[in-house]
Amino acid sequence: MSTLGQLPSFTPGARTMLGDEVYGALQQSILDGTFPPDARINAGELARQFEVSPTPVREALARLESDGLVEKLPLRGYRTTDLLDRTRLTELFELRLLLEPGSAASAAERRSATDLEELAHEVEAGRTAVGEADAYRLLSRHDVRLHDLVFRSAQNETVRQAYARTHCHLHTFRLAYTGAYVSDTVDEHAAIVRAITDGDPSAAAESMRTHIERSRDRLMRVVD
C-alpha cells in the first residue's frame, strides 16, 4: 500500500468553507495522482498537514467515500480506491449512451432562455481553458458543468440524479488525468449546444451520442 503523498498548498478559510476546501484539495490530489491508487490516508496526519481540526477532514473523507474515491478500512483509516478497469469503464459508457442522448433530445424541446444562456457561456468557458497551464483541470470541471446543464435543461431531475450518483466524470478524469481530454471535446460540446439551441431533438441526440462514443474511444486508447 502506498503512503500519503505531498498535499497541494492550502490556506484555511472561514469555518463555513473549511470542509469544502479540504474536500476540494483532497479530491484534486486523488484525481491528479498525487494520491495514487491504494494510498493509505490517515485523517490525523491530514489534519496536521492542513493545520485544521479533525472534523473537516473526517467530513471531507466521508464525501470522498461517497464519490467512490476512497474507502474506509476498519481500524486502519482510509485508502484510495483502485482505478476503473476496462469492464467497468465500458459499463459506464453504456449507461451514458442510455441516458444522455435522450436527455439531450429532451433539452432541445424543453430548454429555457436561461438554459441556453448558461450552455453558451459554458462552451465559451471550455474554449478559453484550452491551452492554459492547468487546462486539464479546467476542462474537466467544464465537462461536468456542461453535461449537468444538459440534464437540467431536459427537466428530468430523476435522470439527472441517477447519473450524478455514478460519479462517472470523477472516475474517468482520474483514469486519464494526463490528457485524454482534448480540445475536440469542446467542439463536440458546441455541436450539442447548437442542436439544443436550434430546438432540434434528433440532432441533439446524435451529437451527444457521437460525443460519448468519441470520448469512450479516446479514453480506451489511454487505458490500453
Side-chain angles (χ1 to χ4, degrees), residues 166-187:
T166 69
H167 304 291
C168 176
H169 287 82
L170 286 177
H171 293 286
T172 54
F173 297 157
R174 183 187 178 204
L175 192 62
Y177 195 86
T178 54
Y181 200 121
V182 296
S183 58
D184 290 349
T185 307
V186 181
D187 294 334

Side-chain angles (χ1 to χ4, degrees), residues 22 26 43 53-64 72 78:
V22 172
L26 292 177
S53 73
T55 299
V57 174
R58 286 196 295 265
E59 292 171 353
L61 288 171
R63 291 172 66 182
L64 291 168
K72 192 171 185 178
Y78 289 83

Side-chain angles (χ1 to χ4, degrees), residues 3-71:
T3 57
L4 188 67
Q6 179 61 45
L7 288 167
S9 59
F10 174 78
T11 302
R15 175 62 188 90
T16 55
M17 292 297 294
L18 207 54
D20 287 340
E21 290 181 337
V22 172
Y23 167 74
L26 292 177
Q27 184 191 77
Q28 181 65 28
S29 294
I30 294 170
L31 294 180
D32 68 18
T34 300
F35 295 166
D38 200 33
R40 180 75 175 272
I41 297 181
N42 182 278
E45 183 178 348
L46 287 174
R48 287 191 293 275
Q49 291 195 44
F50 281 136
E51 299 181 354
V52 298
S53 73
T55 299
V57 174
R58 286 196 295 265
E59 292 171 353
L61 288 171
R63 291 172 66 182
L64 291 168
E65 187 175 20
S66 178
D67 291 343
L69 294 177
V70 304
E71 64 179 359

Side-chain angles (χ1 to χ4, degrees), residues 62-98:
R63 291 172 66 182
L64 291 168
E65 187 175 20
S66 178
D67 291 343
L69 294 177
V70 304
E71 64 179 359
K72 192 171 185 178
L73 305 173
L75 305 177
R76 297 169 60 194
Y78 289 83
R79 65 174 286 273
T80 53
T81 55
D82 296 328
L83 296 174
L84 296 180
D85 60 22
R86 188 180 179 90
T87 298
R88 178 62 173 149
L89 189 61
T90 298
E91 291 173 352
L92 281 178
F93 275 98
E94 287 178 353
L95 176 64
R96 293 186 66 180
L97 286 168
L98 288 172

Side-chain angles (χ1 to χ4, degrees), residues 104 146-147 150 188-197 204 207-208 211:
L146 188 286
H147 285 270
V150 173
E188 293 161 16
H189 285 169
I192 295 166
V193 171
R194 273 196 306 274
I196 292 173
T197 301
S207 295
M208 180 65 81
H211 167 55

Side-chain angles (χ1 to χ4, degrees), residues 74-181:
L75 305 177
R76 297 169 60 194
Y78 289 83
R79 65 174 286 273
T80 53
T81 55
D82 296 328
L83 296 174
L84 296 180
D85 60 22
R86 188 180 179 90
T87 298
R88 178 62 173 149
L89 189 61
T90 298
E91 291 173 352
L92 281 178
F93 275 98
E94 287 178 353
L95 176 64
R96 293 186 66 180
L97 286 168
L98 288 172
L99 296 180
E100 295 197 73
S103 293
S106 296
E109 296 175 323
R110 302 172 183 172
R111 77 284 190 273
S112 66
T114 299
D115 293 330
L116 295 181
E117 182 178 345
E118 292 180 348
L119 285 164
H121 175 77
E122 193 53 58
V123 169
E124 184 58 30
R127 293 200 188 283
T128 58
V130 175
E132 292 293 324
D134 58 346
Y136 194 87
R137 180 181 64 84
L138 296 172
L139 288 168
S140 296
R141 294 181 180 182
H142 152 72
D143 196 68
V144 173
R145 294 192 301 265
L146 188 286
H147 285 270
D148 187 60
L149 282 170
V150 173
F151 280 119
R152 283 170 49 192
S153 300
Q155 299 181 33
N156 188 324
E157 191 63 18
T158 299
V159 172
R160 181 189 176 207
Q161 292 301 324
Y163 179 76
R165 283 192 290 271
T166 69
H167 304 291
C168 176
H169 287 82
L170 286 177
H171 293 286
T172 54
F173 297 157
R174 183 187 178 204
L175 192 62
Y177 195 86
T178 54
Y181 200 121

